[in-house]
Amino acid sequence: MRGMSNAALPPVGAPDDRTVVPVFFLSDSTGISAEIMGNALLIQFPELSFDRTLVPFIATVEMAREVVAQLDEAMAAARAGTAAAPLVFCTAVVDEVRAELFRTTAPVIDLFGMHMARVEELLGVRGLREARRLHGVGDVRRYNDRMAAVEFAIEHDDGQTFRAIERADVILLAPSRCGKTPTAMYLALQHGLFVANYPLVDEDLESTDLPRPVREHAAKCFGLSTTVTRLARVRQERRPNSRYASEAQCRFELRQAAAMYDRHRLPTIDTSSSSVEEIAAVVLQTLKRTRPGTRRPASGTPGGNP
């Protein structure tokens, strides 16, 4: 089992010199998995700066050779002392492409090989090792489910329509700029959930009653919140020096929204310091715990290909 090829990375210097480390994400498919797994590791080094390059769809040996030339050039700069050594994350699955990529002189972290070999060992079967397998014919149903969910999220963004709102798996409620739209789109695209989102405006916040369009669907509602400071800052970028962006208005809306969530015992998520992935994970775990009957997408790994 091969986890990392070639020599270890040379040190990049003291944390305060802000050395920029070149990072390459390589894949013979979309590269989504390489980015996700690689970035999950890089985030543990906040004192360093990274220059990230995604190289997807390395479909042939010839293309792999071009990538190797690029990596070797970066490695030569590191040896000359003009740049930090590159860091390479690879999820290529096709044997011929992988073999060519590993000819580089740059260190390569083989995210596919280090796990695939172990899975094959445990199952006693060699995997197909085909690029883009997850979007093959066998995954058409799940793909179509996710595309339908995306269309639903777009149609039901910011309360644009309430047509077929009963089909929603989740309804997100929040004052403007609390993260409703990105969360809805992520849940749709990555998990195939039908998500509507509704903006709480002044008229809705005059009482703690749920807004009439979603009142019959309280069991599907989630409340999003944030801090006054963050909300004011985000709104200031959109409408500078407006009442909409004032701390007083933000405080009023968040306070009234919280009262509404409390009255109806809605699951509430603070988005002020959470990524969209973290917010989505909380929604999914809450659904699993409290609403086990929620429609789930067809089986498959969310997020697409290696």
Side-chain angles (χ1 to χ4, degrees), residues 56-289:
F57 303 116
I58 309 171
T60 66
V61 171
E62 290 71 24
M63 295 173 68
R65 286 175 183 154
E66 294 178 5
V67 175
V68 168
Q70 182 181 5
L71 297 177
D72 287 351
E73 183 179 347
M75 195 62 184
R79 286 172 173 162
T82 60
L87 187 60
V88 183
F89 295 98
C90 180
T91 55
V93 305
V94 177
D95 287 340
E96 294 79 6
V97 171
R98 285 168 52 78
E100 191 62 35
L101 290 174
F102 277 98
R103 292 181 185 275
T104 179
T105 58
V108 180
I109 298 174
D110 183 10
L111 294 171
F112 177 81
M114 68 172 66
H115 300 298
M116 188 62 171
R118 179 60 174 159
V119 173
E120 289 175 333
E121 177 187 344
L122 293 173
L123 294 177
V125 179
R126 179 176 169 81
L128 293 175
R129 296 175 181 252
E130 295 179 1
R132 292 180 283 187
R133 184 72 184 167
L134 286 176
H135 280 334
V137 174
D139 199 52
V140 166
R141 194 178 95 182
R142 184 176 183 277
Y143 180 81
N144 289 339
D145 283 349
R146 290 192 295 125
M147 292 306 101
V150 169
E151 291 177 2
F152 185 91
I154 293 173
E155 183 180 3
H156 294 81
D157 182 48
D158 254 359
Q160 293 182 95
T161 180
F162 303 103
R163 184 176 67 86
I165 191 69
E166 68 279 358
R167 296 182 63 199
D169 298 308
V170 172
I171 300 173
L172 302 176
L173 303 179
S176 173
R177 312 306 287 179
C178 284
K180 300 184 304 301
T181 296
T183 302
M185 293 302 299
Y186 185 89
L187 286 168
L189 182 59
Q190 298 293 332
H191 299 283
L193 290 177
F194 278 34
V195 184
N197 75 75
Y198 184 91
L200 297 174
V201 296
D202 284 358
E203 301 88 84
D204 299 312
L205 298 172
E206 290 175 354
S207 77
T208 56
D209 292 333
L210 286 176
R212 187 174 300 278
V214 301
R215 196 167 294 168
E216 296 180 5
H217 308 286
K220 299 179 179 182
C221 290
F222 283 74
L224 301 185
S225 188
T226 185
T227 65
V228 172
T229 301
R230 179 174 175 80
L231 184 58
R233 183 172 67 249
V234 172
R235 289 183 172 187
Q236 183 71 15
E237 294 174 359
R238 189 177 186 187
R239 298 183 194 169
N241 305 316
S242 63
R243 173 178 174 273
Y244 167 79
S246 69
E247 288 199 359
Q249 178 65 18
C250 293
R251 185 174 293 105
F252 164 77
E253 292 184 30
L254 291 172
R255 183 178 63 245
Q256 294 300 105
M260 180 186 296
Y261 304 157
D262 288 345
R263 176 182 173 185
H264 299 279
R265 299 183 179 179
L266 302 186
T268 304
I269 305 169
D270 182 355
T271 66
S272 60
S273 59
S274 300
S275 67
V276 67
E277 294 89 350
E278 291 170 323
I279 299 167
V282 173
V283 171
L284 291 169
Q285 288 303 306
T286 302
L287 290 176
K288 181 178 180 180
R289 185 176 65 253

